[in-house]
Amino acid sequence: MDKTIKISGLHKSFKKLHVLKGIDLTIDKPGIYAVLGPNASGKTTLIKVMLGMVIPQKGNVEILGENIKNNPFYRKNISYLPQIARFPENLKVSELLEMIQDLQKRKGDTDDLIKGLKLEPYLDAKLVSLSGGTKQKVNVVLTFMYDNPIIILDEPTSGLDPISMVYLKKKIQEEKEKGKIILVTTHIMPLVEELADEIIFLLEGVISFRGSASQLKLDQGGESIEIAIANLLTKQHA
Amino acid sequence: MLKIFKYSFFDLIRGKWSLIYFGFFFISSMSLLYISGDVAKVIISLMNIILLLNPLIATIFGVMYFYNSREFSELLLAQPIKRRDIFLGQYLGLSVSLSISFILGLLIPFAIFGIFSTNQVTNAVTLLFVGTILTLIFSAIAFYIALRNENKIKGFGTAIFLWLFFAVIYDGIFLLLLMTFNEYPLEKFALVSMIFNPIDLSRILILLNLDISALMGYTGAVFNQFFGNMLGISISIFVLLIWIVTPIFFFLRSLKKKDF
């Protein structure tokens, strides 16, 4: 199988707001890619285009060799962790897990994840009664239960406690070692430095930097990514 | 689609609102049947409740359900399922669960009072049928409005206004026009105006069935005279079905271009 994500000439605007202004991006090597950028730079939009949730005005997206237009089935190769977790209120956690596996028509590997995230006591609880952090843990289970070649994580650490965060990071590393493409958006720079092999920096709807964290620091100057990014932003506005 | 339907349906039918909705119909039809011995009168009272309440509840629940399940829809959109199947499944889940609460709420008291062995069977069945159709129509309209309005307050406002329009304002305008132009023959106008309001159309359907011309009002009388009974009933059922399909069609058309 063609293990790449290929995006070319991607444009998206919401009414008068031009969010993505011609994105060209090819990812053909496994690894962890951090999609960074200031607020409203188009990170989430880009991810949602890849997932088919946002329909672009122009441009082509190919995932694992399949054009995503009018074709929902390429999504079986993508695991997605959304930013906010909200589920049907009256379902139990175990029922939700079964439902997703039923919809996907294949069994996922949930046991280890449930144990790792200490979710056993909540399996019979209704989703409406869970705290935000516990719901996010359920989301993590849903994301990692399949062995999919592409994983997309949108602000994965929001709402998680330190223990689960450590577990999640370990999980991400493990998946990377299996040779997967992992895309992460986040505002937490230490996480980027710890995990990311490559940084894709979006600014005002175009990719303004792509390369490793050390490359970014070298280019822009500064001892941390935060400072390097701040330098990059001030240069752009100068 | 059937899987999504199954999950939405069971999620909703276990919720407290289904029970409250069922309870309301159960209690009101039980007490009406208990108080009044005349089944025809009970059916007319229930008709007046249903013509107002079913569209209102379907509208409110449709909008609310669409907005509340937004994050869940996003979760489903990331699965390898067609968009159309996700939302048609949710629509069916909502409208079928509402319809079942409604139907059981009437059916059980009807059965207890033995209506199905009297000559009122067809009227009772028509009532159930019309109530279900109205639920299907107005939840489809509510879904369409909620899809088109990102802003919840605006979506709610539009949906409630639409209900108010069909339930109250439409008849008001219609009467006003009849009074203003009472020197002209208005039969055709009355007939055409009927088709554009599903609530009026449902009322005609029940009344044509009950065959009580005194309660039919001007439009009903015209309708009855113009079409004769059987044809009138078939045409109103046909138009009601169009009223279900049309909002669903527009909903699916907008859904293709929708960004989540």
Side-chain angles (χ1 to χ4, degrees):
Chain A
M1 190 163 36
D2 182 11
K3 273 196 146 187
T4 55
I5 297 176
K6 230 183 260 164
I7 298 173
S8 53
L10 191 68
H11 282 265
K12 176 67 198 176
S13 41
F14 295 102
K15 301 220 169 97
K16 279 179 189 157
L17 200 68
H18 203 164
V19 180
L20 299 179
K21 302 168 186 165
I23 300 267
D24 294 295
L25 177 68
T26 306
I27 296 176
D28 50 11
K29 277 199 292 284
I32 301 174
Y33 296 81
V35 181
L36 306 181
N39 297 329
S41 57
K43 300 183 297 277
T44 301
T45 307
L46 178 63
I47 281 181
K48 287 190 166 178
V49 168
M50 288 187 210
L51 288 161
M53 290 178 175
V54 167
I55 316 285
Q57 274 95 9
K58 256 199 284 181
N60 227 0
V61 180
E62 268 177 42
I63 287 179
L64 306 178
E66 272 186 273
N67 195 315
I68 68 165
K69 216 172 177 182
N70 298 324
N71 162 21
F73 302 107
Y74 76 93
R75 287 199 285 268
K76 68 179 183 296
N77 295 312
I78 303 178
S79 297
Y80 169 56
L81 180 72
Q83 230 176 84
I84 323 161
R86 231 203 293 166
F87 306 114
E89 296 188 340
N90 295 315
L91 283 184
K92 290 176 189 164
V93 176
S94 51
E95 288 171 329
L96 177 76
L97 295 176
E98 272 164 36
M99 175 179 89
I100 296 294
Q101 297 178 56
D102 184 21
L103 292 171
Q104 288 261 0
K105 295 182 195 121
R106 53 188 170 146
K107 279 219 60 76
D109 187 12
T110 54
D111 295 352
D112 284 350
L113 288 160
I114 290 169
K115 221 179 273 167
L117 290 162
K118 308 206 163 37
L119 275 173
E120 295 104 329
Y122 301 103
L123 282 178
D124 278 326
K126 285 197 173 174
L127 284 152
V128 64
S129 64
L130 299 186
S131 74
T134 316
K135 280 188 194 166
Q136 188 66 5
K137 284 191 202 172
V138 174
N139 240 339
V140 172
V141 175
L142 290 176
T143 311
F144 288 98
M145 68 183 182
Y146 291 120
D147 197 16
N148 288 337
I150 295 174
I151 299 174
I152 297 177
L153 310 165
D154 198 0
E155 298 283 350
T157 53
S158 63
L160 288 181
D161 58 43
I163 301 172
S164 317
M165 227 159 118
V166 170
Y167 181 80
L168 179 67
K169 282 188 215 163
K170 199 183 84 197
K171 199 78 207 166
I172 294 174
Q173 287 290 3
E174 276 173 28
E175 297 297 313
K176 177 196 160 186
E177 274 147 34
K178 288 186 200 160
K180 299 184 176 185
I181 294 176
I182 302 168
L183 290 174
V184 189
T185 73
T186 183
H187 286 289
I188 303 164
M189 291 308 143
L191 188 74
V192 175
E193 261 173 299
E194 202 183 325
L195 291 175
D197 300 311
E198 228 175 273
I199 292 172
I200 295 162
F201 195 84
L202 283 179
L203 192 61
E204 286 163 13
V206 290
I207 294 173
S208 67
F209 171 84
R210 185 177 171 186
S212 66
S214 43
Q215 184 70 40
L216 180 67
K217 282 189 273 190
L218 204 69
D219 281 5
Q220 303 299 330
E223 54 269 32
S224 72
I225 294 192
E226 261 152 343
I227 297 172
I229 286 174
N231 288 342
L232 178 79
L233 289 176
T234 36
K235 260 188 227 163
Q236 288 275 345
H237 288 291
Chain B
M1 184 179 86
L2 280 175
K3 277 182 183 167
I4 306 275
F5 163 69
K6 191 180 80 188
Y7 288 109
S8 299
F9 175 75
F10 283 112
D11 178 40
L12 283 160
I13 205 87
R14 285 190 297 180
K16 62 173 185 280
W17 286 107
S18 293
L19 197 68
I20 293 174
Y21 194 49
F22 162 78
F24 173 81
F25 280 113
F26 182 76
I27 292 167
S28 39
S29 46
M30 268 309 250
S31 40
L32 280 170
L33 282 164
Y34 190 72
I35 293 165
S36 154
D38 189 345
V39 178
K41 273 188 193 153
V42 172
I43 285 186
I44 300 225
S45 306
L46 283 174
M47 174 193 86
N48 286 322
I49 296 175
I50 287 165
L51 289 181
L52 281 184
L53 201 69
N54 283 30
L56 179 66
I57 297 291
T59 305
I60 292 177
F61 275 59
V63 175
M64 222 160 69
Y65 186 65
F66 189 89
Y67 285 137
N68 273 348
S69 52
R70 185 169 169 129
E71 273 78 14
F72 179 54
S73 306
E74 282 179 20
L75 177 75
L76 292 178
L77 285 165
Q79 308 294 326
I81 314 168
K82 281 189 200 132
R83 270 185 180 201
R84 204 188 60 193
D85 292 352
I86 295 173
F87 288 96
L88 274 184
Q90 289 187 351
Y91 163 71
L92 284 177
L94 176 81
S95 47
V96 171
S97 78
L98 282 178
S99 302
I100 285 184
S101 296
F102 157 73
I103 290 172
L104 288 182
L106 289 191
L107 205 64
I108 296 172
F110 282 0
I112 292 174
F113 280 82
I115 286 181
F116 295 107
S117 52
T118 66
N119 60 351
Q120 295 290 331
V121 191
T122 25
N123 294 336
V125 171
T126 313
L127 205 61
L128 292 172
F129 174 74
V130 162
T132 308
I133 295 273
L134 283 174
T135 305
L136 290 172
I137 293 174
F138 280 85
S139 33
I141 294 176
F143 258 55
Y144 178 62
I145 290 173
L147 178 76
R148 290 304 299 265
N149 288 289
E150 205 71 12
N151 182 335
K152 290 185 190 183
I153 307 281
K154 221 172 125 192
F156 253 108
T158 315
I160 295 291
F161 176 78
L162 209 75
W163 168 77
L164 200 68
F165 177 78
F166 283 131
V168 183
I169 300 173
Y170 195 90
D171 284 357
I173 294 173
F174 182 64
L175 277 178
L176 213 66
L177 287 174
L178 284 190
M179 300 236 294
T180 322
F181 298 105
N182 63 356
E183 279 143 38
Y184 301 89
L186 287 166
E187 282 80 2
K188 285 215 176 104
F189 165 71
L191 285 171
V192 172
S193 75
M194 201 93 288
I195 286 172
F196 291 105
N197 185 348
I199 297 183
D200 276 350
L201 203 56
S202 306
R203 183 178 291 124
I204 293 299
L205 185 61
I206 298 174
L207 292 174
L208 280 179
N209 224 2
L210 275 173
D211 213 11
I212 307 172
S213 39
L215 276 164
M216 267 200 263
Y218 180 72
T219 42
V222 169
F223 212 71
N224 199 0
Q225 185 195 17
F226 195 78
F227 287 110
N229 257 343
M230 253 343 269
L231 187 61
I233 291 168
S234 326
I235 286 180
S236 31
I237 289 177
F238 179 70
V239 174
L240 283 173
L241 293 179
I242 291 180
W243 262 104
I244 301 177
V245 177
T246 313
I248 294 179
F249 170 77
F250 282 108
F251 177 78
L252 292 179
R253 212 183 61 167
S254 301
L255 189 65
K256 272 191 209 155
K257 291 174 258 163
K258 171 80 177 172
D259 296 318
F260 286 91

